[in-house]
Amino acid sequence: MNRILCIGAGYVGGPTMAMIAAKCPAYKVTVADINPERIRAWESEDLPIYEPGLDEIVKACRGRNLFFSADPDAHIEDADLIFVSVNTPTKTFGQGAGMAADLQYWEKTARQILANAKSDKIVVEKSTLPVRTAAALARILHSGDSPVHFEVLSNPEFLSEGTAVRDLEQPDRVLIGGADTESGRRAAAELVRLYEHWVPRERILTASVWSSELSKLAANAFLAQRVSSVNSLSALCEATEADIGEVARAVGMDGRIGPRFLNASVGFGGSCFKKDILNLVYLCETYGLPEAAEYWRQVVRINEYQQDRFVANMVSSMFNTLAGKRIAVFGFAFKAQTGDTRESAAIRVCRHLVAEHAHVVITDPKALENAQNDLADLTARVGFVHDPYEAARGAHAVALLTDWPAYADLDYARIYASMMKPAFVFDGRNLLDPRPLFELGFNVYGIGKAPLTRV
Ligand code: NAD
Ligand code: UGA
């Protein structure tokens, strides 16, 4: 049991398999994808995703026990353990459009496995999937007349982008869901054995498949709910002159609540929070639980409210018009330390700014190419520049949307001198110290804080 195939070489498949290869030198790990460009990039000097520490790991294992392939079918029979890590986006058509998970890529993968496997396999769901998908997977895999036995496990991934390598190396927990049968327990034990190469045994949890599938959706829903909770309170802080930083600190020092994930912001982004909550909402509705569905739906609503509120605040603070004004957007990635822009709050904010006829100039250290793709229909009104000083030159306002630490270290006196007056800073991440900016002459607006303003 030491040949592993991972189908899907994305943000999860690539880093996860690189970590397994690094920690388990006796295993041969192949990562396959139908996108040949992505595979070429994994094989090149310029990996397809940016993650601190990933280059070193991939380069140390590549060609030794980590291999990439654009032909998943060719490696299925050779593998004992097959991870499925394909994308599971929100469905955009038909029943459940805008809510349910689109399972077409995942189902295609199941059929590929069935068509190519000639000996027994353990198939591991790494993708985030609706509860009870493993049952559907098992049905597809056993649908032919092949004597091959497939054991389906759920092993959801909890890594965060930007800290993927650290999260994989020292996970809070590894969750393995398996059937309560002899072959199910044997398969789960195989996967436990793999992770035991570097994860302490007490951090490896086993559960039923359904609990494992649901726990992944639940964990993301809880995390996103914390952000929406603190963001809803940030609106109240702005109305009452309470300070969300002080409130979050006081609340988070309660050991039962904890201090992490309580940073008010322009809104959460990323490929998963919204998609997974909507998936949860859809499941609740499907099982006839409308009140539970409504509870979780509100987490997404508050997030959209927060993004819209950010722009509304810009408009009202800047004399009720942004038409013809240059706005420098600092940061487009959905969080720092990644080039990923999927569902980034910046997309919605920039689209609103353009709708107000502002001229938007975006800068970001890693995400400019993705930003250009996301806003490809708006290029007449949106510029993209590498240098934040250039973005800010002649601007009426800076809108800081990603918490890149480098933005805290810029020379704001120089930026102020190059801007139109009155000059505004809207800090969507509470990253900057407002007082020195105010003293330089800026009107400063944070999230959930009283503004420092002269106008
Ligand atoms: P991704 O879009 O970056 O990668 C998915 C890859 O699967 C793509 O490269 C695609 O070409 C490939 N693919 C699709 N169909 C295929 C097929 N039939 N055969 C071979 N390859 C195929 O997605 P991702 O961000 O890696 O997410 C994958 C899954 O992991 C999703 O379910 C997601 O919810 C979950 N997840 C993501 C993260 C994250 O931080 N991005 C974290 C935890 C869990
Ligand atoms: C999230 C989860 O943290 C991972 O555990 C999970 O595996 C992953 O989703 C997934 O399933 O895809 P990720 O989206 O990469 O990871 O990043 P997070 O650090 O969770 O941040 C998500 C968003 O919330 C970002 O836009 C971030 O800026 C925002 N956020 C986070 C806040 O606005 N405030 C906070 O206090 C924390």
Side-chain angles (χ1 to χ4, degrees):
M1 275 282 175
N2 59 3
R3 289 159 304 169
I4 294 178
L5 170 65
C6 177
I7 302 182
Y11 285 86
V12 169
T16 310
M17 292 304 125
M19 185 58 71
I20 291 177
K23 299 292 184 185
C24 311
Y27 284 69
K28 178 187 170 204
V29 182
T30 304
V31 193
D33 202 291
I34 39 169
N35 179 345
E37 262 172 54
R38 222 169 199 187
I39 291 300
R40 263 196 297 279
W42 278 113
E43 287 173 328
S44 76
E45 287 303 295
D46 195 13
L47 301 186
I49 63 175
Y50 170 71
E51 268 303 333
L54 184 63
D55 273 37
E56 291 80 343
I57 295 190
V58 170
K59 286 173 189 165
C61 303
R62 209 168 44 188
R64 182 190 79 187
N65 66 332
L66 177 65
F67 301 91
F68 294 92
S69 165
D71 185 2
D73 289 1
H75 300 276
I76 287 171
E77 178 41 26
D78 190 41
D80 313 301
L81 204 56
I82 302 177
F83 286 86
V84 180
S85 182
V86 301
N87 37 329
T88 51
T90 303
K91 212 174 160 190
T92 54
F93 55 89
Q95 198 173 312
M99 300 253 289
D102 183 347
L103 298 177
Q104 59 172 310
Y105 308 101
W106 165 89
E107 182 175 334
K108 271 189 204 119
T109 314
R111 291 184 188 282
Q112 279 169 266
I113 296 173
L114 174 60
N116 290 284
K118 296 183 187 67
S119 57
D120 293 358
K121 310 282 170 218
I122 298 174
V123 179
V124 186
E125 297 178 342
K126 198 60 164 157
S127 301
T128 303
L129 292 160
V131 190
R132 301 200 72 88
T133 303
L137 178 54
R139 273 185 61 200
I140 295 173
L141 290 172
H142 291 120
S143 61
D145 46 16
S146 146
V148 174
H149 177 74
F150 297 95
E151 194 60 44
V152 179
L153 298 177
S154 160
N155 173 221
E157 183 48 60
F158 296 101
L159 68 79
S160 295
E161 287 178 30
T163 53
V165 171
R166 192 193 65 202
D167 296 343
L168 287 166
E169 194 152 33
Q170 296 173 319
D172 285 355
R173 78 304 207 184
V174 166
L175 179 58
I176 297 171
D180 192 15
T181 58
E182 204 198 315
S183 60
R185 282 189 292 273
R186 219 177 20 239
E190 254 335 304
L191 198 52
V192 169
R193 201 164 65 81
L194 175 73
Y195 282 108
E196 268 181 329
H197 280 81
W198 78 100
V199 180
R201 183 63 186 87
E202 64 276 12
R203 285 183 184 253
I204 306 177
L205 303 182
T206 50
S208 83
V209 188
W210 323 132
S211 304
S212 173
E213 289 175 329
L214 182 56
S215 300
K216 173 62 198 178
L217 296 181
N220 273 359
F222 264 67
L223 289 167
Q225 181 207 42
R226 279 174 79 93
V227 178
S228 279
S229 295
V230 82
N231 280 346
S232 76
L233 291 171
S234 75
L236 187 58
C237 284
E238 286 163 34
T240 57
E241 294 188 15
D243 182 300
I244 195 63
E246 292 174 355
V247 174
R249 196 174 321 122
V251 170
M253 279 178 77
D254 186 322
R256 293 167 300 176
I257 297 172
R260 293 170 67 193
F261 242 77
L262 286 178
N263 296 323
S265 69
V266 58
F268 63 74
S271 64
C272 293
F273 276 1
K274 183 175 170 192
K275 140 178 116 59
D276 291 348
I277 295 173
L278 291 175
N279 189 343
L280 187 63
V281 169
Y282 187 71
L283 280 168
C284 292
E285 283 182 352
T286 307
Y287 285 98
L289 306 167
E291 289 82 2
E294 200 43 39
Y295 176 77
W296 290 110
R297 196 196 305 271
Q298 197 58 22
V299 173
V300 175
R301 286 214 185 105
I302 287 287
N303 197 48
E304 288 166 355
Y305 162 75
Q306 188 74 349
Q307 296 170 11
D308 297 348
R309 218 168 63 73
F310 185 81
V311 178
N313 188 24
M314 289 180 74
V315 175
S316 66
S317 311
M318 294 174 72
F319 319 109
N320 291 310
T321 177
L322 300 182
K325 292 180 180 169
R326 179 177 169 112
I327 310 286
V329 168
F330 282 13
F332 201 86
F334 81 98
K335 63 189 275 196
Q337 310 303 341
T338 178
D340 194 352
T341 61
R342 292 178 291 177
E343 296 293 339
S344 177
I347 298 176
R348 192 171 169 112
V349 166
C350 288
R351 288 192 175 278
H352 281 333
L353 293 174
V354 168
E356 292 292 338
H357 291 190
H359 178 59
V360 176
V361 182
I362 297 166
T363 182
D364 189 291
K366 295 284 175 197
L368 268 196
E369 202 181 317
N370 282 334
Q372 262 163 316
N373 291 334
D374 293 331
L375 303 179
D377 55 318
L378 298 180
T379 41
R381 286 199 164 271
V382 183
F384 303 89
V385 298
H386 284 282
D387 179 6
Y389 296 103
E390 194 187 327
R393 194 176 314 126
H396 290 77
V398 168
L400 190 153
L401 302 185
T402 309
D403 46 345
W404 286 107
Y407 292 149
D409 299 330
L410 296 172
D411 178 352
Y412 281 93
R414 178 177 160 201
I415 289 175
Y416 181 76
S418 75
M419 286 176 65
M420 303 294 285
K421 308 295 175 331
F424 294 80
V425 170
F426 296 90
D427 182 355
R429 296 289 181 167
N430 290 339
L431 179 78
L432 309 174
D433 188 354
R435 182 57 57 183
L437 292 180
F438 178 68
E439 278 157 15
L440 285 172
F442 282 107
N443 298 289
V444 189
Y445 294 76
I447 303 283
K449 294 181 179 299
L452 294 177
T453 172
R454 295 187 173 80
V455 290

